Amino acid sequence: MSDNSTATVISVPEETLVNRPATGKFKAFMSKFMKQKLAVISSAFILLLFIVAIIGPHIVPYPPNEPNYDALMEGPSAAHWAGTDEYGRDILSRLIDGTRLTMAVSLSAVFISAIAGTILGLISGYYGGWIDRLIMRGSDVMFSFPDLLLAIGIVAILGPGLSNVVIAVAVFGTPSFARIIRSVTLSAKESLYVEAAQSMGAKNNRIIWKHIFPETVPSIIVNVSMKIGGAILAAASLSFLGLGAKPTEPDWGAMLSMGRDYLSIAPHIVYFPGFIIFLTVLAFNLIGDGLNDALDPKTKN
Amino acid sequence: MGRYAIQRLLGVIPLLFIVSILVFMFIHLIPGDPARLVAGKDATLEEINGIREQLGLNLPLWQQYVNYMGDLLKGDLGESVRSGIPVMEMLESRFLPTIILTFTSLGWALIIGLLIGIVTAVNRGKWPDYIGMLAAISGISLPGFWLGLVLIQVFSVQLGWFPTGGIDTWQSYILPSFTLGAGIMSMLARYSRSSMLETMREDYVRTGRAKGLREFTVVGRHALRNSLIQVVTVAGLQFGFLLGGSVMVETVFSIPGMGRLLVDSIAFRDYTVIQALLLMFAAEFILINLIVDLLYGVLNPKIRYASK
């Protein structure tokens, strides 16, 4: 799962922008993006995480799920760089092993909401009328539930578990995509080339996918990159509350939840998973900022 | 302004109506038989039927909705499936801690967020700007529950300055509200910075400087006042973030608020309580957004005059 997502996340900007007639755009984008040191460093970090997610099981120093009752809650040492947890399991190994799960959950949730939101936004913006009103009122209703609470509500309905966490996080992410894509669609619809296509008798479907959709791609990329951090936090929060990953699964959020009970005697059980969540979310947010600055026509230099 | 306010007020009614339908549908969206789920694995058929009756699930759907809405308008949220206690009674003591927590967090967030925003905007491109903005984006990226746990470990367990949880004294609210406010504080810092940068490019700021006003007056009196409009709106819109976060923070700090009750009720499959809480949270959020909208109308003369 995460292997595929890896390829998509990194290659989307290149493919879509390169295939377009103006090849110079990609160069311009890259030169702008590369100037943002923090975003570039963050991209390197995320790339590293993807590699860890793929080869994780082969590089763990200890079996991540095997208890070791001779080494319970040991602090960081040469043998266990991040210490051991309440079952004596090596925390670093569990973090490495959990990278795959955490990435898969958050990326699939964001991709689902990006796809659903983009389709809804295109339809809403292009056709207008009652269908537009229906979709926008629907998103208003969704917005009237605070994000995390909506997700908690959905998990309360569907029951705990990581696949339901994906659905919940995807559902609350959808309206924001729909709104952003709708507004881009509205302005693209007014452009001359769309009018030209319409007057030549092109079918609506063709106009939407061939002429309007490419215009929305930069917004989709920026929003995807901005949402991944939030999705990781939301999934971790749900796991922390016991609504997501099972305690046995090496999910970063679930590791925090288990370690909570031992906070006063072995704080490192909580420190390391939380810190890696923080770094990952920070990196995604910095990339989002960088992409936003590089792709937004309004920002100069 | 009057017409604008009435428009906004009327707009909220259908929204509340739809939200109430969604919350009503909650129990019907559960895959499987909710009565069986509540009763547990070892329940007899009689027990299951009893619970089904108690939840009113044996009635036709439309009648269930009429009953639900009728009770709701009377302020009756039903009884807990678990304890039989009226939900309204359960909520009473839970309401205040959550409100105190969210508003103190908002207070922190506004004050510190604005300060960071002003300092970074005024020093644009210099080191306070970089540090402030790095701090802000870090704040957004911090898992709130983790920050809470780290603060407890450092300030409560090791230094002993604050209680580790509960709401016995006012000091108990300091760490939780700071934890909850951190994320929104960072967002406000970013918004107020960009909004300040925008207003500082305006003509009236240049005029202020040209006529020799001190920089402090220019920033405080002219630029800040005009960026406040945007910042207040953003703060209100982020209120949902606080409500969602309160669930986490209340769990970490063992605060007996609505969020904690929600988590406990989910664990016990206490569907009536979950339903009531979702409705309360959504209603509170809609209400806050309405207030923000109205406040925006008051603060922004453009809207005030446009609707006249």
Side-chain angles (χ1 to χ4, degrees):
Chain A
M1 170 83 241
S2 55
D3 317 12
N4 297 337
S5 340
T6 323
T8 336
V9 123
I10 292 158
S11 62
V12 161
E14 300 166 34
E15 277 171 18
T16 39
L17 292 175
V18 167
N19 288 343
R20 292 169 64 185
T23 327
K25 271 191 181 177
F26 178 64
K27 266 193 185 155
F29 158 76
M30 276 313 275
S31 80
K32 269 186 185 173
F33 186 76
M34 291 308 279
K35 269 186 205 149
Q36 315 203 30
K37 292 188 196 78
L38 280 175
V40 174
I41 298 169
S42 306
S43 310
F45 177 72
I46 297 299
L47 197 66
L48 182 77
L49 276 187
F50 279 123
I51 296 170
V52 168
I54 295 165
I55 63 168
H58 305 289
I59 55 166
V60 287
Y62 296 89
N65 289 316
E66 214 161 272
N68 176 3
Y69 296 105
D70 296 327
L72 296 185
M73 293 190 267
E74 275 180 11
S77 63
H80 300 277
W81 289 2
T84 59
D85 68 5
E86 67 276 22
Y87 296 109
R89 297 173 299 194
D90 180 53
I91 291 179
L92 180 65
S93 303
R94 287 180 69 73
L95 284 176
I96 292 175
D97 197 35
T99 312
R100 177 178 288 200
L101 201 59
T102 308
M103 289 291 193
V105 166
S106 51
L107 288 180
S108 43
V110 174
F111 283 127
I112 293 171
S113 44
I115 293 168
T118 303
I119 293 173
L120 288 173
L122 284 168
I123 293 174
S124 188
Y126 185 76
Y127 290 105
W130 66 268
I131 190 147
D132 177 34
R133 280 199 296 276
L134 185 74
I135 292 173
M136 283 305 114
R137 283 302 83 78
S139 75
D140 280 350
V141 172
M142 304 255 293
F143 274 124
S144 56
F145 290 95
D147 284 4
L148 190 60
L149 283 166
L150 186 62
I152 292 175
I154 293 171
V155 176
I157 292 173
L158 299 174
L162 275 181
S163 49
N164 292 339
V165 167
V166 172
I167 297 174
V169 176
V171 168
F172 84 62
T174 304
S176 90
F177 274 100
R179 281 202 179 173
I180 290 168
I181 301 308
R182 174 181 178 267
S183 71
V184 181
T185 308
L186 281 178
S187 64
K189 203 172 84 173
E190 300 301 319
S191 53
L192 269 178
Y193 58 83
V194 170
E195 229 173 87
Q198 276 169 336
S199 61
M200 279 157 63
K203 290 209 175 70
N204 284 338
N205 244 336
R206 191 186 156 77
I207 296 175
I208 290 177
W209 291 109
K210 285 273 167 183
H211 299 288
I212 294 179
F213 173 69
E215 288 301 302
T216 63
V217 169
S219 311
I220 298 174
I221 296 168
V222 169
N223 207 32
V224 162
S225 63
M226 299 259 206
K227 292 282 172 202
I228 293 175
I232 294 176
L233 284 183
S237 303
L238 289 169
S239 289
F240 178 76
L241 293 175
L243 301 173
K246 287 189 220 72
T248 47
E249 286 169 309
D251 174 87
W252 294 349
M255 288 172 74
L256 264 169
S257 172
M258 294 302 286
R260 201 187 140 208
D261 299 334
Y262 308 96
L263 184 64
S264 51
I265 42 173
H268 67 273
I269 302 180
V270 161
Y271 284 172
F272 288 104
F275 191 63
I276 199 76
I277 295 176
F278 165 62
L279 280 185
T280 310
V281 176
L282 180 65
F284 274 117
N285 284 342
L286 286 170
I287 294 175
D289 269 9
L291 284 174
N292 194 24
D293 289 352
L295 288 171
D296 186 0
K298 273 178 278 177
T299 32
K300 287 163 196 118
N301 72 72
Chain B
M1 181 62 209
R3 230 179 88 192
Y4 172 73
I6 292 169
Q7 266 176 5
R8 298 299 313 169
L9 274 170
L10 289 179
V12 163
I13 295 169
L15 196 59
L16 277 174
F17 180 69
I18 298 171
V19 165
S20 77
I21 295 182
L22 272 186
V23 170
F24 162 75
M25 284 306 292
F26 169 82
I27 203 160
H28 299 277
L29 291 171
I30 296 164
D33 180 359
R36 195 176 289 270
L37 285 171
V38 169
K41 274 181 197 145
D42 313 318
T44 60
L45 199 63
E46 261 168 49
E47 283 172 320
I48 295 174
N49 284 334
I51 288 173
R52 186 168 297 136
E53 222 161 281
Q54 192 197 338
L55 289 170
L57 293 172
N58 49 343
L59 301 171
L61 195 64
W62 65 269
Q63 202 170 345
Q64 287 184 39
Y65 181 67
V66 171
N67 289 352
Y68 171 77
M69 278 311 279
D71 287 346
L72 193 65
L73 292 176
K74 279 184 279 178
D76 180 1
L77 292 167
E79 285 162 7
S80 156
V81 192
R82 281 288 146 192
S83 58
I85 303 172
V87 176
M88 212 52 193
E89 224 168 87
M90 292 174 79
L91 288 186
E92 256 167 26
S93 65
R94 301 287 190 146
F95 202 65
L96 200 60
T98 303
I99 294 288
I100 296 178
L101 179 63
T102 41
F103 278 91
T104 39
S105 309
L106 193 61
W108 278 104
L110 266 174
I111 295 168
I112 303 184
L114 263 176
L115 267 178
I116 296 180
I118 296 168
V119 171
T120 50
V122 171
N123 294 294
R124 187 189 188 179
K126 296 182 201 140
W127 64 267
D129 188 18
Y130 292 120
I131 294 177
M133 282 302 103
L134 199 62
I137 197 157
S138 304
I140 295 174
S141 315
L142 271 177
F145 50 100
W146 182 63
L147 177 64
L149 290 172
V150 172
L151 291 178
I152 291 180
Q153 165 63 16
V154 174
F155 290 101
S156 305
V157 177
Q158 294 198 334
L159 297 172
W161 289 357
F162 303 103
T164 52
I167 46 164
D168 302 325
T169 55
W170 63 268
Q171 285 102 324
S172 329
Y173 280 105
I174 293 179
L175 291 183
S177 62
F178 186 79
T179 306
L180 184 55
I184 197 173
M185 183 189 301
S186 314
M187 272 182 247
L188 289 179
R190 281 160 65 104
Y191 274 105
S192 46
R193 174 179 179 269
S194 66
S195 154
M196 280 292 283
L197 286 176
E198 228 165 79
T199 44
M200 279 169 65
R201 272 200 298 265
E202 298 280 349
D203 288 341
Y204 54 78
V205 171
R206 201 179 317 141
T207 312
R209 286 200 181 120
K211 68 182 184 188
L213 289 180
R214 280 181 309 148
E215 189 63 18
F216 186 80
T217 323
V218 174
V219 171
R221 270 275 198 59
H222 299 272
L224 178 62
R225 247 177 137 173
N226 284 288
S227 14
L228 265 180
I229 300 173
Q230 284 183 41
V231 175
V232 165
T233 321
V234 171
L237 292 177
Q238 297 302 332
F239 201 81
F241 179 89
L242 289 181
L243 289 177
S246 71
V247 179
M248 309 302 303
V249 172
E250 285 175 15
T251 307
V252 170
F253 287 92
S254 316
I255 293 174
M258 300 204 294
R260 185 72 200 285
L261 185 62
L262 182 65
V263 176
D264 292 345
S265 308
I266 291 175
F268 291 129
R269 296 184 188 279
D270 201 339
Y271 293 127
T272 38
V273 180
I274 301 175
Q275 241 177 339
L277 283 167
L278 288 178
L279 188 69
M280 296 295 272
F281 276 122
E284 192 180 337
F285 190 37
I286 293 174
L287 192 74
I288 299 275
N289 278 341
L290 177 70
I291 295 172
V292 170
D293 266 358
L294 295 179
L295 206 61
Y296 188 67
V298 175
L299 285 176
N300 191 347
K302 279 181 201 155
I303 288 191
R304 203 157 63 210
Y305 294 123
S307 60
K308 260 191 184 164

